[in-house]
Amino acid sequence: MSLKLPGTPNASLFKQGYQVHSNTDGAVNRNIQACREISKMISTSIGPYGKNKLLVNDLGKIFITNDAATMLRELDIVHPAVKVLVMHSEQQEQELGDNTNYVLVLGGELLNLAEKLVVLGLTPTEIIQGYKMASKFAVQELEKLIIDEIQDFQEKDELLKIIRPVIMSKQYGQESLISELVVSAVQHVMPKENPQAFNVDSVRVVKIMGGALTNSFVIKGMVFPREPESQVKKIKETARVAVFNCPVDISASETKGTVLLHDADEMMNFSKGEEEELHKVIKEIYDSGVKVIVAGQGIGELALHFLNKYELLVLKVPSKFDLRRICRICGATPLVRLGAPLPEEMGIIDVVECTEIGSDRVTVFKQNKETSLTSTIVIRGATQNSMDDIERAIDDGVASIKSVLRDPRLLPGAGSTESELVKRITHYGEKTPGLLQLGIKKFAEAFEFLPRLLCETSGLDPSEILPRLYSSHDDNDPETLKFGIDIDSENLNDCLLDVKEFGIFDSFSCKKSAITLATEAVCTILSVDQIIVAKKAGGPAMPKQPKPGNWDQAD
């Protein structure tokens, strides 16, 4: 009699080809291991001396960056548990624009410590409860660690408090120059009456190859890396602007036809009517007082001839986003019909000129008002990769304004906040009865990641620096909270610095959001006890074609 083996559990429940990973097979441990890998990869990029990663995406484009948001965007992550952590990190990027890597690395550290608790015999439910209690306590304690706040969003020195540390973490050594550019650009567009109406999209970045970073500058208005299509390249006086989101050309009909021409006169007369119609339309636009035309789509050669005849400046802007920004800066309405705009549909611009930056011709739209609706930072650099990385640092610096507008309070930076949280949450865990205190203590231990990484990436010994940092924070003296790690110190006795004196601050709302999102992600991953993967859609994969050449030839 043959031995009949039992079939796959739930074989009749799913389609053939599904996969189930249960807790008994170590699903929780495998999830933690996968999250630890992505966390480990991102962690070495934290801090001013953080290492860069060289990424090659699926299109073959090369990225050299230490920006976590760019790495996650270009990496094709497929593991479902890691995707949960990445989604929370992306949420941090969208909401506040910074501390993306903080969410990832703190989440990975919490999961790594949770694995040790599982080995000790704690259930994921007990760990989740401990983590949630500790997270709630940590957010409350952050309120007590505030040492400064931004008073006036029009003041340069006040804005530098938050912009400079953010730029410093990305472009160490060049933070003074880049911060000055960002502050200047932000001041141009910051609304005087209502700073809360500040829009991050109002600060643009244009990269022009050549020169050095010191040649970068800020323009109150917009810069387009192309020259006007028309012969007129410059308008120095206040001019009316018409924006067309349709081709500036003879409208072509959808039907097709064949025309038989017998002689040259018929050929001359064939397009005469259309030419006269186009001439009439361009003359109407000129008579309405328009001096500048912005076209979102193509410009016909015949139309360009008539536009040059009436000395109109014509700029083609293929990007719909830039077209929208032009409408905002000029106050124009984009038209989907070719014709003379109504007075309320026109915009007004003070200066339009074509200049040369390096060897590139650019068109500049300037407003001479005190507060512009858009400002542009023109970055110069030797390579595209270096300019891309500077652009990411500028984006983070501008986004940090958004977080302090939400809450102007500032926390001490340079690992000071984290070292204090380690002490306070550990003390809170010791007073908590039961097994939950193990989860709370491990949550406190996770915050040691930032001071430790700051030491490691700057070449310092964490085992010597961290005890000094902890001992410098006296429970009875709130003034000692301002001590952080000096990454440039060569002497062990001078390894700490005064964060207030050096202006190294963290945004309160940014840090609070990062801790909350990291805890949520970790609790979600720990609460998973089974992963069920359906069979991928689509037919069978195509068989691989044999390579040409001999069978034992090297690949």
Side-chain angles (χ1 to χ4, degrees):
M1 189 175 79
S2 61
L3 179 65
K4 189 177 180 183
L5 293 170
T8 312
N10 300 326
S12 60
L13 186 61
F14 302 109
K15 271 188 180 179
Q16 194 176 3
Y18 79 97
Q19 297 174 9
V20 175
H21 305 282
S22 66
N23 197 9
T24 52
D25 301 331
V28 171
N29 288 18
R30 280 208 293 274
N31 289 348
I32 291 171
Q33 190 179 352
C35 293
R36 189 166 57 221
E37 287 301 314
I38 190 81
S39 172
K40 196 183 292 182
M41 188 178 74
I42 301 291
S43 65
T44 53
S45 297
I46 283 185
Y49 286 131
K51 308 295 183 293
N52 285 341
K53 300 286 184 288
L54 195 152
L55 308 174
V56 183
N57 68 1
D58 51 353
L59 300 173
K61 190 177 178 185
I62 295 172
F63 296 85
I64 301 173
T65 180
N66 62 0
D67 183 49
T70 307
M71 292 183 216
L72 298 176
R73 192 168 56 246
E74 299 306 327
L75 291 170
D76 194 11
I77 294 167
V78 294
H79 196 285
V82 179
K83 275 189 173 179
V84 171
L85 194 57
V86 168
M87 280 191 287
H88 282 77
S89 179
E90 285 172 349
Q91 185 64 27
Q92 173 78 5
E93 175 70 16
Q94 289 168 14
E95 287 285 323
L96 296 157
D98 194 25
N99 273 14
T100 320
N101 46 13
Y102 195 98
V103 175
L104 274 169
V105 181
L106 178 59
E109 198 74 18
L110 287 170
L111 285 167
N112 191 25
L113 294 168
E115 188 179 26
K116 295 178 181 176
L117 292 176
V118 170
V119 172
L120 287 173
L122 265 74
T123 62
T125 310
E126 289 167 335
I127 298 169
I128 290 168
Q129 284 178 333
Y131 276 6
K132 283 185 175 176
M133 285 174 66
S135 172
K136 190 177 177 182
F137 178 78
V139 170
Q140 290 172 355
E141 288 301 304
L142 279 180
E143 303 260 355
K144 302 172 186 175
L145 303 181
I146 291 157
I147 60 167
D148 205 342
E149 70 175 81
I150 294 178
Q151 307 286 346
D152 183 5
F153 288 97
Q154 308 295 340
E155 281 290 323
K156 178 182 172 182
D157 291 338
E158 291 289 302
L159 290 173
L160 278 172
K161 281 182 186 176
I162 186 64
I163 290 174
R164 193 169 173 276
V166 172
I167 303 285
M168 193 188 292
S169 68
K170 301 274 189 274
Q171 294 286 327
Y172 191 61
Q174 299 174 325
E175 70 275 359
S176 299
L177 177 59
I178 300 173
S179 300
E180 291 286 336
L181 293 171
V182 175
V183 169
S184 178
V186 168
Q187 283 182 316
H188 286 327
V189 297
M190 182 69 75
K192 298 284 183 189
E193 295 79 19
N194 182 21
Q196 300 294 332
F198 171 75
N199 187 357
V200 174
D201 198 39
S202 299
V203 179
R204 294 183 69 245
V205 175
V206 171
K207 296 166 286 187
I208 297 176
M209 194 84 81
L213 183 61
T214 48
N215 302 123
S216 304
F217 55 92
V218 178
I219 288 176
K220 191 192 288 186
M222 291 185 74
V223 177
F224 299 96
R226 60 192 303 148
E227 58 180 319
E229 310 291 323
S230 57
Q231 291 175 355
V232 179
K233 306 289 185 187
K234 189 181 290 187
I235 292 181
K236 284 286 188 182
E237 59 192 21
T238 303
R240 292 183 179 179
V241 183
V243 180
F244 293 103
N245 200 14
C246 61
V248 181
D249 199 1
I250 299 166
S251 56
S253 62
E254 292 182 8
T255 56
K256 291 184 179 179
T258 306
V259 179
L260 185 63
L261 302 172
H262 295 92
D263 53 29
D265 291 335
E266 284 184 11
M267 192 172 180
M268 292 290 286
N269 295 329
F270 173 66
S271 58
K272 196 171 185 182
E274 285 183 334
E275 285 182 24
E276 288 174 355
E277 189 64 32
L278 186 61
H279 187 196
K280 182 184 170 186
V281 170
I282 301 294
K283 190 174 187 308
E284 282 177 2
I285 294 172
Y286 171 74
D287 291 339
S288 67
V290 170
K291 292 282 185 186
V292 180
I293 290 177
V294 179
Q297 296 185 34
I299 301 163
E301 289 184 7
L302 185 62
L304 193 58
H305 164 72
F306 292 125
L307 290 165
N308 284 330
K309 179 183 174 181
Y310 289 106
E311 295 185 344
L312 299 177
L313 187 145
V314 186
L315 178 69
K316 185 181 175 183
V317 180
S319 166
K320 63 179 180 182
F321 301 106
D322 283 343
L323 207 67
R324 208 177 293 161
R325 290 188 184 104
I326 283 186
C327 291
R328 195 169 72 224
I329 194 174
C330 303
T333 305
L335 304 172
V336 291
R337 54 168 176 82
L338 187 62
L342 299 171
E344 60 269 19
E345 292 173 334
M346 296 181 200
I348 293 175
I349 193 76
D350 292 331
V351 177
V352 181
E353 60 181 348
C354 179
T355 59
E356 194 169 310
I357 300 175
S359 59
D360 294 350
R361 304 283 292 175
V362 298
T363 305
V364 181
F365 277 58
K366 282 185 189 173
Q367 292 283 36
N368 292 330
K369 297 175 187 172
E370 190 179 351
T371 304
S372 175
L373 290 168
T374 308
S375 61
T376 304
I377 302 173
V378 179
I379 299 174
R380 306 300 310 284
T383 64
Q384 193 64 40
N385 277 321
S386 66
M387 289 193 294
D388 287 344
D389 222 24
I390 290 165
E391 182 186 11
R392 292 182 199 110
I394 288 171
D395 287 344
D396 284 351
V398 176
S400 66
I401 299 293
K402 185 168 63 173
S403 66
V404 291
L405 281 169
R406 188 178 292 185
D407 193 328
R409 294 177 291 179
L410 301 173
L411 295 166
S416 178
T417 301
E418 283 72 20
S419 59
E420 187 64 23
L421 283 176
V422 171
K423 290 177 72 174
R424 295 194 181 196
I425 299 170
T426 304
H427 187 59
Y428 169 65
E430 286 169 352
K431 293 193 295 183
T432 307
L435 288 172
L436 294 182
Q437 71 166 276
L438 295 173
I440 294 170
K441 282 183 177 179
K442 288 294 180 189
F443 190 93
E445 196 180 318
F447 278 105
E448 203 176 87
F449 83 93
L450 190 69
R452 189 179 66 248
L453 284 172
L454 284 175
C455 292
E456 287 173 357
T457 54
S458 54
L460 301 172
D461 186 359
S463 60
E464 292 181 342
I465 305 294
L466 293 184
R468 287 173 176 267
L469 181 63
Y470 290 135
S471 63
S472 70
H473 287 204
D474 187 355
D475 295 334
N476 303 320
D477 186 6
E479 279 296 308
T480 59
L481 289 177
K482 62 188 180 181
F483 288 113
I485 298 169
D486 183 2
I487 58 171
D488 286 330
S489 67
E490 295 178 4
N491 184 1
L492 192 61
N493 296 322
D494 301 327
C495 61
L496 302 181
L497 54 76
D498 187 334
V499 293
K500 257 192 170 181
E501 184 185 331
F502 284 85
I504 304 171
F505 300 104
D506 287 334
S507 164
F508 170 77
S509 58
C510 223
K511 188 85 75 179
K512 178 182 173 182
S513 172
I515 293 169
T516 308
L517 284 170
T519 311
E520 277 181 17
V522 168
C523 292
T524 305
I525 292 165
L526 288 174
S527 63
V528 172
D529 72 332
Q530 270 192 329
I531 299 176
I532 304 164
V533 185
K535 184 185 176 184
K536 281 194 176 182
M542 291 290 288
K544 286 186 179 179
Q545 297 294 325
K547 290 183 180 179
N550 194 16
W551 62 272
D552 64 347
Q553 196 171 347
D555 290 332

